[in-house]
Structure formats: structure tokens, C-alpha cells
Amino acid sequence: MIRPKKHLGQHFLKNEAIAADIANSLVEGDYNTVVEIGPGMGVLTQFLVKGDKDLYVVELDGESVEYLKGHFNMRYDHIIEGDFLKLKLDKVFDGNIAVIGNFPYNISSQIVFKIIENRHMIPQMAGMFQKEVAERIAAGPGSKTYGIISVLTAAYYDTEYLFTVEKEEFNPPPKVQSGVIRLVRKDGYTLPCDESLFKTVVKTAFNQRRKTLRNALKQLNLPEELQQSELMAKRAEQLHLEDFIYITKTLQQP
């Protein structure tokens, strides 16, 4: 038996029915490989390995790696000991991958940002997060949880909050509930504006979310068209994805 390691943010899911539901939350899509992040003792792996996709697991904990090698009929080169955040995905995997996992809470947001950065090869993700983080990723305009990660995810993926998992289903029980979400990449998955500037606009707007956009974005030297826009009287949490795109396109104009 492996003891969960606090410094790795490990909380092992005990309920196999919930693990099966998470494994089944991936839907058919443009991928032939599934990559599980943080398999631990393999409660999710045991269902994924029965699927018809090529399965890889990425685990930072050496003790868990040895356990997985001894308990699952997987090729050793499909059990990767390392940090998913540091993997150069296009060097490790050929073609598209779907990402899944009971993600360590301490790096879960970073996992989503890495998925966004590698969206050209990740058409789908399903995973378990701290409930608050899952709700933030899936949030829409007008919600207090709507923020940077909500908008950047919505730019490229359709997000669906699937179900909630209670604390007692884990060892050790976390202090918070968990939530399972699914991301499915949008057709085209590109924006009709400069994507780097778009990210800057979103981050700048939400970093001063209590201010109106006219004040929050002042440092970006707003052109007259934006100065006069009714959008500028709103706050970041009131804007839709299309509004952020409009602001970015207007800032791009010579």
C-alpha cells in the first residue's frame, strides 16, 4: 500500500464506481492515445487500460511508478516517471492525445494552461479538480468565479461540468469537494485576433476586476473607438468571449 504524499498533493480516490465514471467521461474524438496524469495506485488506470486507445500514464512519484509496473499489464515505456508540466508533449507523443486524471490540486490550473498551449494536439480533456477550480474553469460571464482561466479555456474549448465528488471518497480526505469537468476542443480552435494580445487583454482586465475596463485597461493605450465604447463602462466579469476578441481586434488596428 502506498501512502499518499502531501507534498505531491496526492488524494487517492477510493470509490471505484466514481473512477469508472471519470474514465467513461472521455467521449469519442480525434485521438488514438489517452494520457493519464497522476495515476497513483491506478484506481482510474484499471478502467482506462481496458479501453481501445493506446494508454500512457505520467507519474512523478517513483513509488507509484513501481506499483503501476507491478500491477498493470502495460509496456514500461508507457509508464512515464516525470512531471507532466515539464514534458514536451510533441516530442513524447505522435498525433493527438486525450488527457485525463484525478489531478493533483496544487498543479491543476497549470495543467489546464498547458493543455491550452498544446491545443493543436489535445482535442479533449476530462479530469477531477478541486470543486472551486472546476467551477471557475466552467464559469460564464456574470459569475463571481468567472476569471482568466474561464475565458482562456472558452476561447478554444467547450467546457462541461459533469459531477461533484465528496471529500470522504478519498484517502486522505481533502478539505474541499471535488468536481469533474470535460473540455472538448472547438472546431478551428483559433481566434480571429492576435492571440498573445488577447491573453494580455484578458489578464490585465481581470487583474483589476473591481475597476471598469476603461480604468483596468488604461495601460494598453486605448484608441478612441474603445474609449467611447459602452463596453468600457463594464467590468471584466461582465464580458463575453466575443467582447474580449472585439477589444483585442480594435487594439490591433494601426
Side-chain angles (χ1 to χ4, degrees):
M1 178 67 72
I2 299 171
R3 294 177 64 86
K5 297 173 179 62
K6 188 174 182 180
H7 73 281
L8 293 178
Q10 290 178 330
H11 296 275
F12 293 156
L13 181 64
K14 299 184 295 184
N15 189 317
E16 294 197 355
I18 293 174
D21 287 343
I22 297 172
N24 291 330
S25 60
L26 286 175
V27 295
E28 281 302 317
D30 182 23
Y31 63 92
N32 292 312
T33 300
V34 172
V35 179
E36 182 189 1
I37 301 172
M41 291 180 64
V43 66
L44 183 55
T45 315
Q46 65 182 319
F47 299 104
L48 295 171
V49 78
K50 297 173 184 175
D52 59 357
K53 306 295 185 185
D54 200 17
L55 177 65
Y56 285 77
V57 298
V58 181
E59 175 58 68
L60 186 59
D61 179 19
E63 189 179 6
S64 288
V65 168
E66 291 308 310
Y67 179 89
L68 294 165
K69 287 179 177 178
H71 287 77
F72 288 93
N73 184 24
M74 292 179 64
R75 286 171 44 182
Y76 282 8
D77 64 346
H78 280 42
I79 301 175
I80 300 171
E81 182 173 357
D83 184 345
F84 176 79
L85 297 177
K86 294 179 180 177
L87 281 186
K88 296 188 183 299
L89 300 183
D90 54 355
K91 304 291 186 187
V92 180
F93 306 108
D94 293 325
N96 288 345
I97 62 174
V99 173
I100 194 168
N102 171 17
F103 301 136
Y105 289 161
N106 55 354
I107 62 166
S108 60
S109 294
Q110 293 166 268
I111 288 172
V112 173
F113 286 126
K114 186 176 179 78
I115 287 170
I116 292 171
E117 288 171 14
N118 292 274
R119 58 191 177 276
H120 62 286
M121 62 182 298
I122 307 178
Q124 197 171 145
M125 182 282 289
M128 183 153 54
F129 297 78
Q130 180 177 329
K131 186 171 186 281
E132 180 185 334
V133 175
E135 289 176 335
R136 192 179 305 143
I137 296 166
S143 165
K144 288 185 178 180
T145 57
Y146 185 60
I148 294 170
I149 198 169
S150 319
V151 178
L152 295 183
T153 303
Y156 308 106
Y157 290 90
D158 291 316
T159 307
E160 185 177 359
Y161 188 100
L162 299 178
F163 56 90
T164 299
V165 182
E166 299 299 329
K167 310 171 192 177
E168 56 268 19
E169 305 294 356
F170 297 88
N171 174 37
K175 295 179 180 178
V176 294
Q177 293 174 302
S178 299
V180 177
I181 62 173
R182 176 172 58 227
L183 308 183
V184 177
R185 191 176 61 192
K186 294 179 174 180
D187 292 339
Y189 60 90
T190 57
L191 295 179
C193 62
D194 182 286
E195 297 190 0
S196 177
L197 180 58
F198 170 80
K199 191 183 296 185
T200 298
V201 168
V202 173
K203 288 183 175 180
T204 305
F206 278 104
N207 282 340
Q208 300 187 71
R209 64 186 301 150
R210 292 185 179 180
K211 294 185 177 181
T212 64
L213 289 168
R214 185 170 285 110
N215 291 320
L217 299 178
K218 188 162 47 178
Q219 67 193 71
L220 299 180
N221 299 318
L222 302 176
E224 189 65 22
E225 180 181 341
L226 285 179
Q227 291 280 9
Q228 301 302 322
S229 172
E230 293 180 3
L231 277 180
M232 294 297 108
K234 296 183 177 182
R235 292 178 172 81
E237 67 210 40
Q238 297 174 286
L239 266 60
H240 291 75
L241 171 63
E242 293 73 21
D243 296 326
F244 284 109
I245 291 173
Y246 165 73
I247 292 170
T248 306
K249 290 173 75 172
T250 308
L251 283 170
Q252 282 178 238
Q253 295 173 5

